[in-house]
Amino acid sequence: MVNKQYRKLFVAGIINGIGDRFCQIALLALIYQLTGSGLSVGIMLGLRVIPFLILSPVSGVLISSISRRTFMMTTDLLRGGAALAFLSVHSNEDMWIVYGVSTLLACGEALYAPARKSSIPLLEASYPRFLDHRPHLCSTPPVFSLQV
């Protein structure tokens, strides 16, 4: 990783990904602790998938119209602000907050991921240039990736 900008994007992606996974695990534990219901956990997981199916294809249009860096930073800052709403969850009656904010976080992630992945060819000089004309190779939503 010789390119300094690529290294920054790579490290930011790792930090972002770790934060997203910890958030998902914490949400699953919180929902199960509050409700004791597997159905509630399943609803939350379903609500996190829907934004990827809808927003990932649309994000390409947004990414091409503004700076990717500004777009990714704004998306992450908005997601961080939205995550603060979890601090107001104290009982089973607050599950609507969990579902709503979780969906908002998934919307942000669905917009962020294609922007980050489409930035890689622009930063890395050794990236094969013939792949630049194939955005679908760089913007596959994580919904279709292998989840272990």
Side-chain angles (χ1 to χ4, degrees):
M1 281 193 284
V2 177
N3 189 327
K4 186 176 179 179
Q5 295 298 324
Y6 177 76
R7 188 178 313 124
K8 286 180 185 179
L9 181 67
F10 182 78
V11 170
I14 288 174
I15 293 169
N16 183 290
I18 290 170
D20 286 343
R21 298 311 151 246
F22 274 118
C23 181
Q24 284 180 340
I25 292 168
L27 280 174
L28 293 174
L30 175 69
I31 291 171
Y32 193 73
Q33 180 183 16
L34 290 176
T35 65
S37 168
L39 178 63
S40 296
V41 172
I43 289 171
M44 197 277 299
L45 290 173
L47 288 173
R48 289 192 56 85
V49 170
I50 293 169
F52 282 97
L53 297 174
I54 296 169
L55 293 177
S56 289
V58 174
S59 68
V61 176
L62 293 172
I63 294 166
S64 64
S65 64
I66 62 173
S67 163
R68 284 180 175 90
R69 181 178 180 172
T70 303
F71 184 79
M72 290 187 291
M73 290 175 64
T74 303
T75 304
D76 268 351
L77 289 173
L78 292 174
R79 288 171 61 203
L84 292 175
F86 288 129
L87 296 173
S88 64
V89 176
H90 299 292
S91 68
N92 195 13
E93 290 81 33
D94 298 329
M95 287 306 298
W96 66 272
I97 297 171
V98 174
Y99 291 141
V101 173
S102 179
T103 303
L104 283 175
L105 293 177
C107 288
E109 189 176 350
L111 294 172
Y112 174 88
R116 181 181 161 273
K117 291 176 184 177
S118 68
S119 297
I120 295 171
L122 302 174
L123 296 176
E124 186 57 41
S126 64
Y127 194 83
R129 292 295 166 211
F130 66 88
L131 292 178
D132 287 348
H133 302 292
R134 298 180 183 180
H136 61 278
L137 292 176
C138 300
S139 63
T140 303
V143 172
F144 301 112
S145 63
L146 178 62
Q147 300 291 324
V148 179

